[in-house]
Amino acid sequence: MSETIFSKIIRREIPADIVYEDDLALAFRDVHPQAPVHILIIPKQVIVSIDAATDTDAALLGHLLLTVKRVATQEGLENGYRVVINTGEDGGQTVFHLHLHLLGKRSMAWPPG
Ligand code: AMP
C-alpha cells in the first residue's frame, strides 16, 4: 500500500476543506483550483490509479461516480460539470492515489489541454 498526501488528509494529519465524507469516500477542495468549483473525490482505500483498479473494485468505483453526482448537486452544478481522472505520466497524474476531479461553475473547453 503506497501512501500519498491524500492518506494524510484522510487521517486528518494535514488540513483540507472537506465537503463530503462517508465510509468509502472523501471529497475535498483542490488547493490549486482550475475552476470556481474544483473538488477531488477519493476512495479511503488506496488505489494508485484507475489503471491499478481491479474487478474487485467495481462497486467502489461506482460509488465514487455516484459521490461525484452527490457532491455536484450539493455544489449547485445544475448547469453541468466535468469529471476528470488523470492517469499515469501521459495523463498528467501527480498524486498516486486515485482521485476524480469535479470541475464546475465555468464553461469547459474541448479538447482538454
Ligand atoms: P493530478 O494531477 O490529477 O494527480 O491531481 C492532483 C491534484 O491534487 C492537483 O490538482 C493538486 O492541486 C491537488 N492537491 C495536491 N495536494 C493537495 C492538498 N494537500 N489538498 C488539496 N488538493 C491537493
Side-chain angles (χ1 to χ4, degrees):
M1 189 171 98
S2 50
E3 292 260 310
T4 70
I5 197 163
F6 290 175
S7 292
K8 291 186 167 62
I9 290 174
I10 292 167
R11 294 196 299 262
R12 307 301 205 271
E13 291 172 6
I14 62 167
D17 186 355
I18 293 169
V19 298
Y20 176 80
E21 180 173 23
D22 62 29
D23 289 347
L24 300 174
L26 188 72
F28 52 93
R29 295 191 194 279
D30 197 295
V31 277
H32 297 300
Q34 303 302 312
V37 172
H38 186 173
I39 291 167
L40 303 175
I41 292 89
I42 69 171
K44 288 185 170 176
Q45 168 195 328
V46 178
I47 300 174
V48 168
S49 72
I50 195 67
D51 201 50
T54 67
D55 288 352
T56 60
D57 299 317
L60 177 58
L61 296 176
H63 180 76
L64 293 173
L65 284 172
L66 290 171
T67 301
V68 166
K69 175 183 145 177
R70 178 191 289 260
V71 173
T73 301
Q74 187 177 297
E75 292 291 318
L77 303 183
E78 60 280 334
N79 212 36
Y81 49 87
R82 181 165 291 174
V83 184
V84 174
I85 306 177
N86 295 327
T87 307
E89 189 180 344
D90 277 1
Q93 185 175 5
T94 59
V95 177
F96 288 86
H97 180 137
L98 175 65
H99 50 282
L100 289 71
H101 295 258
L102 168 62
L103 300 144
K105 291 283 183 192
R106 73 166 168 83
S107 185
M108 303 292 160
W110 192 263

